[in-house]
Amino acid sequence: MRNDLIIGLDIGSSFVKAVAGKQNAQGQLEIVATGKSSTTGFILHGEIVNINKTSAAISEAINQIAVALPGKSKEYYFSSNLSGSHIAVSPYTITKQRKNPSEPVSVKEILEITEEAKKSIAEKNPCVLHTLPTGFTVGSLPETLDPVGQVGPRIQGDFMVITARQDKFDLFRKTLASAESDHIKGGNLYFSPLASSSSVLSTEEKQQGVVLVDIGSGTTEISIYQNKRLKHAKVLNWGGDRITEDIKVGLDVTLEHAEALKVNFGSALQKLIEINEVVMIPGMAGRKPTPVSVRNLAIIIEERMKELAAIVMAEIQKTTNITALRGGIVLCGGGATLPYIDELFQKVTELETRVGIPNASASDEIKDPSYATSVGLVQVYFDQLENTDDAAPETSSQSDYIPTSNNSTKQKPPSIKSIFGRLVESLVGGDEEGGEY
């Protein structure tokens, strides 16, 4: 159990969602406060287009948490997400001849080859968010995540590298720095799917093969896990805003009414809606209300969601055989709140599909797929704190974000350490659900 209170900041294209979490006596994540502020028009497809207004939205969400926790410490560390189509996820392999082939592989050797991989990657793209090992091969032995103790003439390291465009990353950091207040003392950045996966995927699903689809308002993130490892990830400029625009055009309503219709009356399957069901849209400036067919609304939504499901299926087929995904598909994000969306995805992809709910002790408001990332951000931060308890050497990462604080006595939050800090538990995963990546 830790006494730290961490804020998870999910900075999306519609809202900043902030949650404050801690570990309870049983070591389970407990969400104790929330904050929410609109970013509509300030962030497009996951990328910031207005620094000042986005910073103000972040500050507002954090201040809501501070107000909700009277009498408690008002100085927090945060864990925030980075997304957008500028982020690239690609494999990287490095091979080294060993100086003493008859000696067993040591932790030091693993750390050294990991550092060499990071340096080589940084030469091509200096903005490296994460370097995640997917396996090591010593000589002709089978691939493993725990090669310590093996012997052989060479060692090969395979990694999944997550990079961002430097200008987009710098803009994001600048926005966070602008939002800094007395409540924020520092924190870390993570690639969004790593956070979402920690709150809604089980260890068994990651082992057996699963696809996580996070449907936001501006982007959709697809990530594939097999053998407890991230195998592939893709950020699409495809989100719920596209559906809202279709509703606006198809039903001839304002954008605001289109969003309200989607949220309050939308369905991913039109066949379940009565053909004569209508909803009245208020008229402008005292004009008569306009009837809108709820069935037609569902038809528009269903066609767009079928399109997204087909895109997800195509992305899966580029990467792996669908028979290797026994965990099927897990949906999260605001788009996953649409009724019957799991049934639609299962019908289109022929993969078992469920909606992911954050795994934390929290109010009913948080037990919602749209909070998967914000809750997951708190979870990965605590996982990182746990990993830093071990004596592994610290490695650098672009994902560290440490704002300058006027209070020099505050402890610096942990940087993203080598994930060999707990060689088996951190890489392979323990018995707990979520948290390893």
Side-chain angles (χ1 to χ4, degrees):
M1 175 183 175
R2 289 183 177 271
N3 295 322
D4 310 72
L5 189 65
I6 304 300
I7 293 180
L9 280 175
D10 177 13
I11 303 173
S13 299
S14 289
F15 295 98
V16 173
K17 291 181 178 176
V19 301
K22 63 179 182 179
Q23 286 184 328
N24 61 24
Q26 292 73 41
Q28 183 184 14
L29 181 61
E30 181 179 346
I31 303 301
V32 296
T34 65
K36 185 177 178 180
S37 182
S38 174
T39 57
T40 302
F42 316 153
I43 300 177
L44 299 178
H45 302 301
E47 298 180 11
I48 296 167
V49 296
N50 190 312
I51 291 180
N52 293 343
K53 291 183 177 180
T54 302
S55 296
I58 294 171
S59 296
E60 181 182 341
I62 293 172
N63 288 336
Q64 289 173 21
I65 286 178
V67 170
L69 298 172
K72 296 183 181 294
S73 170
K74 300 297 184 180
E75 297 176 348
Y76 315 114
Y77 291 128
F78 73 85
S79 176
S80 188
N81 60 320
L82 186 63
S83 188
S85 59
H86 65 96
I87 292 180
V89 181
S90 56
Y92 182 83
T93 297
I94 184 172
T95 302
K96 284 186 63 178
Q97 293 296 128
R98 301 187 64 227
K99 294 180 181 179
N100 299 305
S102 60
E103 291 294 317
V105 172
S106 66
V107 172
K108 182 180 178 183
E109 279 186 89
I110 300 302
L111 292 172
E112 287 175 348
I113 195 172
T114 301
E115 284 304 304
E116 286 189 32
K118 288 183 177 182
K119 289 178 182 178
S120 298
I121 295 162
E123 289 175 359
K124 298 178 181 179
N125 188 331
C127 191
V128 179
L129 300 178
H130 305 287
T131 305
L132 309 177
T134 59
F136 296 91
T137 304
V138 179
S140 58
L141 296 175
E143 183 185 64
T144 178
L145 275 171
D146 184 12
V148 175
Q150 293 184 342
V151 295
R154 64 187 177 278
I155 182 168
Q156 173 181 302
D158 294 307
F159 301 88
M160 193 62 67
V161 181
I162 303 173
T163 59
R165 268 180 48 183
Q166 188 70 55
D167 60 332
K168 303 292 186 183
F169 180 79
D170 291 341
L171 182 63
F172 193 86
R173 292 183 66 168
K174 185 176 181 180
T175 302
L176 287 172
S178 298
E180 183 186 354
S181 68
D182 291 338
H183 303 309
I184 289 296
K185 296 303 175 186
N188 289 339
L189 305 182
Y190 299 90
F191 182 40
S192 290
L194 298 181
S196 303
S197 68
S198 73
S199 71
V200 300
L201 296 184
S202 70
T203 302
E204 184 179 11
E205 284 174 323
K206 288 183 178 181
Q207 174 65 44
Q208 297 298 324
V210 65
V211 181
L212 178 63
V213 182
D214 189 336
I215 309 169
S217 59
T219 62
T220 293
E221 298 156 353
I222 305 168
S223 51
I224 300 174
Y225 290 83
Q226 289 178 293
N227 300 320
K228 296 184 182 177
R229 312 169 201 181
L230 178 67
K231 288 295 187 181
H232 178 73
K234 180 81 171 180
V235 182
L236 307 174
N237 280 337
W238 199 115
D241 289 347
R242 185 171 296 194
I243 297 175
T244 303
E245 185 64 31
D246 284 351
I247 295 170
K248 172 182 177 290
V249 174
L251 299 180
D252 191 24
V253 296
T254 66
L255 195 63
E256 292 75 15
H257 286 155
E259 179 69 16
L261 285 168
K262 180 184 73 175
V263 172
N264 296 308
F265 302 99
S267 172
L269 292 176
Q270 54 90 11
K271 69 178 182 179
L272 300 175
I273 307 298
E274 294 292 335
I275 196 167
N276 59 349
E277 186 175 347
V278 297
V279 60
M280 303 301 291
I281 298 296
M284 181 174 58
R287 293 179 176 85
K288 292 182 178 181
T290 303
V292 170
S293 167
V294 179
R295 181 73 172 269
N296 288 343
L297 170 67
I299 289 172
I300 293 171
I301 295 173
E302 181 175 338
E303 290 306 309
R304 271 302 190 189
M305 294 313 300
K306 281 182 178 178
E307 175 189 332
L308 177 59
I311 293 172
V312 170
M313 191 62 183
E315 199 65 33
I316 293 171
Q317 292 173 333
K318 289 180 189 176
T319 307
T320 188
N321 191 314
I322 61 172
T323 60
L325 299 170
R326 296 181 63 187
I329 295 174
V330 177
L331 304 172
C332 66
T337 61
L338 270 173
Y340 310 112
I341 190 171
D342 49 347
E343 293 185 29
L344 180 142
F345 262 77
Q346 187 159 323
K347 180 180 179 181
V348 173
T349 65
E350 297 183 350
L351 286 169
E352 185 175 346
T353 303
R354 71 174 179 88
V355 174
I357 303 299
N359 180 26
S361 174
S363 65
D364 290 341
E365 177 193 7
I366 306 302
K367 295 290 186 179
D368 184 285
S370 66
Y371 278 90
T373 300
S374 54
V375 173
L377 285 164
V378 179
Q379 181 65 60
V380 295
Y381 202 112
F382 278 120
D383 290 340
Q384 192 61 46
L385 284 172
E386 189 176 353
N387 291 343
T388 61
D389 285 341
D390 298 280
E394 182 173 328
T395 61
S396 61
S397 171
Q398 280 278 12
S399 48
D400 295 341
Y401 168 75
I402 312 298
T404 302
S405 172
N406 293 328
N407 187 348
S408 60
T409 64
K410 288 295 173 184
Q411 180 184 4
K412 177 181 175 181
S415 61
I416 295 182
K417 310 257 306 174
S418 164
I419 48 184
F420 297 97
R422 297 168 68 202
L423 192 58
V424 175
E425 290 85 356
S426 184
L427 291 181
V428 181
D431 294 331
E432 72 280 359
E433 294 189 1
E436 74 281 8
Y437 51 94

